[in-house]
Amino acid sequence: MIKLLHIVAIGALVSSAVYAYSIKYETTLATEHLQKLKGKIQRERDAIQVLKAEWQFLNRPDRVQMLAERHLDLQPFVVTQVVKPSDIPNRGPKVDAIGRKLEDLGLGLPTETPRDRKASATTPGAMP
Amino acid sequence: MEHQREATETVVKRGRLTWLRDVFRMSGEKSEPRVGLVILGFSVLFLAITGRLVYLAVAPNEQVGLRRATSNAISAARPDIVDRNGEILATDIRTVSVFAEPRRILDKDEATELLTAVLPDLDAKELREKLGTKKGFVWVKREITPRQQAEVHRLGIPGIGFVPENKRVYPNGTAAAHVLGFANIDNVGIAGMEKYIDSQGLQDLNGAGLATEASDLKPIKLSLDLRVQHLLRDELFKGMERFKAIAAAGAIMDVNTGEMLALVSLPDFDPNNPVDALEKDRINRMNVGVYEMGSTFKALTIAMALDSGKVNINSTFSTAGGMMRFGRQVIKEYHGTGRTLTVPEVFVHSSNMGSIKMALAVGVDGHKAFLKKMMQLDRMTTELPESAAPIVPQRWGEINTATIAFGHGLAVAPLQALAAVGALVNGGYLMKPTFLKRTEEEARQVSTRVIKPETSEAMRFIMRINGEKGSARKADIPGYFVGGKTGTAEKVINGRYAKNRNFTTFTAIAPSDKPKYVFLAIYDEPKGYAESGGYSTAAWNAGVTTGKVIERAAPILGLNPRFDPPPSPFPLMAKLGAWGSR
C-alpha cells in the first residue's frame, strides 16, 4: 500500500516537473516570438515614418509646382473662369440638327425635281 | 585573585565543553542545542539568499547601465509637426549612430585606423583622443547611413556598437523655415516652434525617461496652411528678384481667429541644414525685425481719431500749403493735393497732414494710450520664442505724435502691425496672433475689444475705397472685394532718412465687407523697374505681390469669388453719406 503510494507520488512529481518544464519552455518560446514581433512592428513603424517623410518630401509644394510648370499646361485659377449658375444660358429649343442639315443641302425635298439653279438664287449676287 | 580567575576559566571551559558534548549527544531529550544550531545555519543561509536577491533587484547590472548611458545620450523623440490640414512639416525618422566603449577596446590605434577608413570624414586625431579616455561611452559618429553601418559592423571591432536614434527631418525644406525653427542633433529645439514645443515640457518628459517614441506623442497642429505658405514664399521670392529687393517678408492672418496661415521671411534657410540660420540677414523679419511701417500706420491714426469721437467720417482737414512746421522740422505732403480732404480722402491720398491733424486732435496722451492699447508699444510675444521690442521714442512730444501719425518715428515688428490691422477690420477685437490652430470662440475669449464696431466698419470702408480707387488698386483682384493700404517708409541710414532706400509694405483685407483674411507683404529696398516707370513705392512692388498672392491664395483659403459687389456692404457709411459711398 505504502509502496503504491510512493510510486504514485513519484509519478506525480515527475509529471509535474515535466509539465512545469514544458510550460517554461513554451513561455520562453512565446517571449522570444513576442520580442521578434515587437522588433518587427518597430521596424515597420520606422519604415512607415520614413515613407511618410519621403511622401511629403516628394509632394512638397515647390517640387509639385516645378513639375506642374514643366509638364502641365494648367494655368493658375483666375476669377474670370468662374461663371455664376444664373449666367449659364438656358438650353435652346430642341432642333433636329440632321434634318436641318439635310434641308440646308437641299436634300429635305427629295421628290422635287431639280429646277434651274439660277432661278433659285440662294446667294444674292452683286446688284448693278 | 589569581586562583579565582583560573577557577572561573575552568568553569567556562567546562561549560563550553558540555555544550559541545550536548550537540553531539544522540539522546532525544538533550538535543535542543543541535536543533538551535540547525536553525541558525538555515537562517544564515536564507538571509544570504534574500540579501543577494535584494542586491540583484536593486543594483543595476552592467547591461542595464549601458542602456541607460545611451538613452541619456541619444536624441529624444519629438512629436510630428503638421499643418492645419495634417500635412507633415516636421517628423522624426530612425537613423543609426556608432558609439564606442573605450574600456573594452583592446587596440585603440587599430580601431581608430579601421574606423577612419570606413568613415572618412572622421578626424583621426580627435577619435584617438576620444578612445583614449576612461569613459564608458563615447560617440564615434552620429547618424550614419545603413551602408556605413554595414561596413562598420563588418570591421568587427570589440567595444564598438550601434544605437538607433531619432533624426529630425523637414520634408518641405525651406517652406516654413522661420515658423518651424529647427532642432539640433540631440533633437532639442533651438528655434521657432521646435523650441516652443520643448518649453511646453517635452524635455522634462524625456528627462524622466518617458516619451522616446514619436508614436507616444501627439502631433502638434499648426495654424499654417502649407499650400498658402508655399505660394506666399514663391511670390515673395519672385518679387524679390524682380524688384531687386534685399529682403522680403509676408504673412497671412485669419482676422477672426488670429491664426497665422502663412509667414515668410526672405532670405530664409533650410531647417534640415541650419548652418546659415543664425546669420544676421536670416532673421524672421515679421517677428524679430522692427520697422517704421509708413503709411500703413495711418489706418491706426484714423481709427483712433474716429473712435475717440473727436473726428467723424465727414470731418475735413485742410492740406493747403502742402507742409507743416514743428519747430525746426518740416513735414511735407508726398502726394500733395492742396485741397481740403475728408477722412476717406486723407486715407486714399495718403495725406500726411491729414493724419497729423487727426492725431493732434486726439492729443499726445490719447495717441500714446491708443497705441498702447493696440499693443504697438510693447514686445509682442507669440508662440515663436524670437521676438523684438518696438523702438519707442524716449521723449514723446507733439513732434513724435505728428510723425508716428503717418508711420515714422515708431518702429514695430510687422506682425504687431498686422495684429492691429486685423483688429481694426474684424469688428474691433484685438488678439495676439497664434501659430497653433484655434477656433473663433477660443480666439474671442483671449481677445479684447479695442475699437467700436462702427469704427471698424469705417476702417473697412476706407480700405475698400483705397482698394477701388486709391493706391491699393494693384491688389484689387476682381471678385474678392479687396481693400488695402500701401506704406512706403524711407529707411534710416546713419541716422538720416535715405531718399532712395525704401521700406515698402502693403496690407490688404479680403473681402472688405466681412473680412476673413489680412495679407501683408514687405520689401526692403526694392528698386524701380521698367513697367513701374522707375517708382519703387509700395504699390509697385508689395502691392503687386499682394495682388498675386490674393489671386492664388483665395481659392485655397475658400474665399468665394463674387461678381456683384455685396448689396449694402457698409450700411452706416452710406447712411452718413461718407465720401465715396455713393
Side-chain angles (χ1 to χ4, degrees):
Chain A
M1 190 59 201
I2 289 177
K3 236 180 202 169
L4 186 71
L5 261 179
H6 280 178
I7 289 167
V8 169
I10 289 167
L13 184 73
V14 169
S15 55
S16 70
V18 167
Y19 179 66
Y21 270 111
S22 64
I23 285 269
K24 187 179 182 308
Y25 280 123
E26 269 172 36
T27 320
T28 318
L29 219 63
T31 318
E32 259 172 34
H33 189 57
L34 180 73
Q35 215 58 44
K36 263 184 204 158
L37 283 181
K38 270 188 181 160
K40 238 179 170 174
I41 292 171
Q42 189 57 52
R43 270 201 298 282
E44 289 296 322
R45 273 206 187 126
D46 291 349
I48 290 170
Q49 205 62 36
V50 170
L51 288 175
K52 262 191 190 165
E54 196 171 344
W55 175 256
Q56 188 57 48
F57 179 69
L58 294 174
N59 276 313
R60 61 189 194 277
D62 49 342
R63 179 170 177 273
V64 172
Q65 180 176 338
M66 195 190 76
L67 292 176
E69 276 167 7
R70 192 188 296 166
H71 299 294
L72 299 176
D73 295 330
L74 300 179
Q75 288 174 351
F77 169 83
V78 284
V79 183
T80 49
Q81 293 168 328
V82 186
V83 175
K84 277 189 295 183
S86 59
D87 285 354
I88 300 172
N90 284 325
R91 194 171 171 174
K94 205 169 178 186
V95 282
D96 181 1
I98 297 172
R100 186 183 273 182
K101 192 112 195 168
L102 289 173
E103 234 162 74
D104 287 350
L105 290 169
L107 300 172
L109 311 159
T111 52
E112 214 174 28
T113 44
R115 276 183 290 171
D116 186 12
R117 283 274 162 100
K118 290 254 167 81
S120 61
T122 45
T123 43
M127 289 302 228
Chain B
M1 285 287 278
E2 192 76 5
H3 178 77
Q4 235 176 343
R5 192 191 289 162
E6 261 176 31
T8 49
E9 267 177 21
T10 48
V11 169
V12 170
K13 263 183 192 166
R14 190 169 300 150
R16 279 184 191 157
L17 270 176
T18 49
W19 182 80
L20 209 63
R21 206 179 294 136
D22 284 345
V23 169
F24 289 102
R25 184 168 293 172
M26 292 311 281
S27 69
E29 70 273 17
K30 294 223 171 158
S31 64
E32 285 124 62
R34 193 164 68 233
V35 173
L37 189 73
V38 169
I39 290 174
L40 189 76
F42 275 99
S43 307
V44 168
L45 191 65
F46 276 103
L47 272 175
I49 292 172
T50 317
R52 178 67 182 157
L53 278 177
V54 169
Y55 172 76
L56 282 180
V58 171
N61 66 14
E62 204 186 334
Q63 194 66 41
V64 174
L66 180 65
R67 198 173 299 153
R68 184 163 301 168
T70 55
S71 83
N72 280 343
I74 64 168
S75 44
R78 305 181 63 77
D80 286 0
I81 301 179
V82 299
D83 82 340
R84 63 189 300 115
N85 304 312
E87 300 283 340
I88 290 176
L89 299 176
T91 187
D92 273 356
I93 58 169
R94 279 288 162 124
T95 54
V96 171
S97 292
V98 197
F99 70 90
E101 296 170 83
R103 275 182 296 193
R104 289 180 50 195
I105 298 178
L106 305 171
D107 189 341
K108 286 167 187 171
D109 291 315
E110 194 200 357
T112 311
E113 209 168 289
L114 288 171
L115 281 171
T116 45
V118 174
L119 307 167
D121 45 342
L122 277 179
D123 182 4
K125 209 171 141 199
E126 200 183 320
L127 180 64
R128 181 65 190 83
E129 271 168 28
K130 264 199 229 167
L131 296 184
T133 55
K134 291 249 181 292
K135 280 187 196 158
F137 179 95
V138 291
W139 286 119
V140 175
K141 187 162 168 35
R142 307 287 288 272
E143 291 167 2
I144 59 170
T145 62
R147 192 200 172 89
Q148 286 176 323
Q149 185 193 1
E151 282 176 343
V152 173
H153 185 75
R154 210 175 300 135
L155 295 177
I157 310 168
I160 299 286
F162 303 102
V163 73
E165 275 204 289
N166 297 308
K167 179 180 163 65
R168 198 67 164 163
V169 291
Y170 303 90
N172 302 300
T174 51
H178 279 107
V179 179
L180 291 175
F182 52 91
N184 68 4
I185 198 156
D186 287 319
N187 257 14
V188 176
I190 298 295
M193 288 307 281
E194 294 279 25
K195 194 172 178 184
Y196 167 77
I197 292 169
D198 282 6
S199 71
Q200 296 304 100
L202 179 71
Q203 284 310 311
D204 303 341
L205 219 61
N206 284 322
L210 300 166
T212 47
E213 283 280 320
S215 53
D216 300 341
L217 301 161
K218 251 176 66 184
I220 306 282
K221 203 160 205 173
L222 300 191
S223 61
L224 294 188
D225 187 319
L226 179 59
R227 301 163 299 173
V228 180
Q229 173 76 25
H230 163 71
L231 73 86
L232 179 62
R233 182 177 184 278
D234 191 46
E235 288 301 339
L236 283 169
F237 194 81
K238 284 179 190 160
M240 213 167 114
E241 280 184 352
R242 185 170 172 209
F243 313 130
K244 298 184 182 64
I246 58 170
I252 302 174
M253 186 179 87
D254 185 321
V255 293
N256 298 314
T257 63
E259 289 176 312
M260 299 299 301
L261 286 146
L263 185 148
V264 176
S265 172
L266 294 173
D268 53 5
F269 56 91
D270 184 351
N272 291 306
N273 184 24
V275 279
D276 43 9
L278 299 175
E279 273 172 41
K280 203 162 165 276
D281 67 330
R282 307 292 161 109
I283 59 161
N284 183 350
R285 279 156 218 276
M286 289 302 293
N287 216 19
V288 185
V290 290
Y291 304 98
E292 296 179 83
M293 294 298 286
S295 309
T296 309
F297 244 65
K298 284 175 190 155
L300 283 173
T301 309
I302 293 175
M304 169 183 72
L306 291 174
D307 207 52
S308 70
K310 296 199 169 81
V311 171
N312 68 42
I313 195 80
N314 294 322
S315 305
T316 53
F317 301 91
S318 161
T319 63
M323 60 158 215
M324 285 175 93
R325 214 177 273 280
F326 289 89
R328 287 185 296 123
Q329 303 215 29
V330 175
I331 296 169
K332 284 186 190 150
E333 280 288 75
Y334 187 75
H335 311 280
T337 54
R339 289 192 287 119
T340 298
L341 303 174
T342 61
V343 173
E345 283 175 299
V346 166
F347 195 71
V348 170
H349 294 294
S350 202
S351 160
N352 290 346
M353 289 172 69
S355 327
I356 294 170
K357 285 180 176 168
M358 275 187 235
L360 292 179
V362 176
V364 173
D365 291 333
H367 192 203
K368 228 167 148 178
F370 181 78
L371 290 179
K372 180 109 186 154
K373 189 167 74 174
M374 297 301 287
M375 301 203 287
Q376 300 301 303
L377 303 185
D378 302 298
R379 181 191 294 263
M380 175 175 272
T381 50
T382 58
E383 287 87 4
L384 295 186
E386 305 87 5
S387 66
I391 301 172
V392 183
Q394 300 274 313
R395 284 172 51 242
W396 189 317
E398 204 159 61
I399 172 71
N400 301 92
T401 281
T403 58
I404 292 167
F406 61 91
H408 285 72
L410 173 66
V412 299
L415 195 66
Q416 237 168 341
L418 189 70
V421 173
L424 295 186
V425 298
N426 73 358
Y429 300 98
L430 181 64
M431 57 195 92
K432 270 187 194 169
T434 179
F435 291 89
L436 297 173
K437 214 175 170 184
R438 74 176 170 200
T439 62
E440 208 172 321
E441 289 78 49
E442 286 164 351
R444 275 288 149 87
Q445 277 166 14
V446 295
S447 66
T448 47
R449 173 170 282 288
V450 285
I451 56 169
K452 301 186 199 100
E454 299 82 51
T455 313
S456 179
E457 192 194 313
M459 293 315 297
R460 296 199 294 268
F461 169 72
I462 60 172
M463 282 181 92
R464 173 59 197 154
I465 287 191
N466 197 35
E468 226 170 344
K469 34 189 130 176
S471 56
R473 283 191 312 273
K474 287 269 182 298
D476 189 13
I477 304 303
Y480 296 114
F481 212 49
V482 179
K485 181 79 192 100
T486 53
T488 307
E490 283 161 2
K491 276 179 73 170
V492 180
I493 309 279
N494 302 328
R496 311 177 110 252
Y497 283 107
K499 276 270 168 263
N500 50 356
R501 296 201 177 173
N502 287 342
F503 179 83
T504 63
T505 63
F506 192 94
T507 322
I509 56 169
S512 297
D513 58 325
K514 197 174 186 326
K516 184 95 180 77
Y517 299 105
V518 51
F519 303 78
L520 176 66
I522 292 172
Y523 283 109
D524 194 354
E525 289 187 28
K527 316 287 185 298
Y529 51 102
E531 295 92 315
S532 80
Y535 275 111
S536 64
T537 46
W540 291 102
N541 38 66
V544 172
T545 299
T546 308
K548 285 185 180 155
V549 168
I550 294 174
E551 192 167 16
R552 280 178 74 178
I556 298 175
L557 293 171
L559 290 179
N560 290 332
R562 291 177 296 185
F563 296 92
D564 312 316
S568 152
F570 309 109
L572 191 68
M573 294 302 117
K575 211 168 85 189
L576 292 172
W579 181 87
S581 66
R582 278 155 299 172

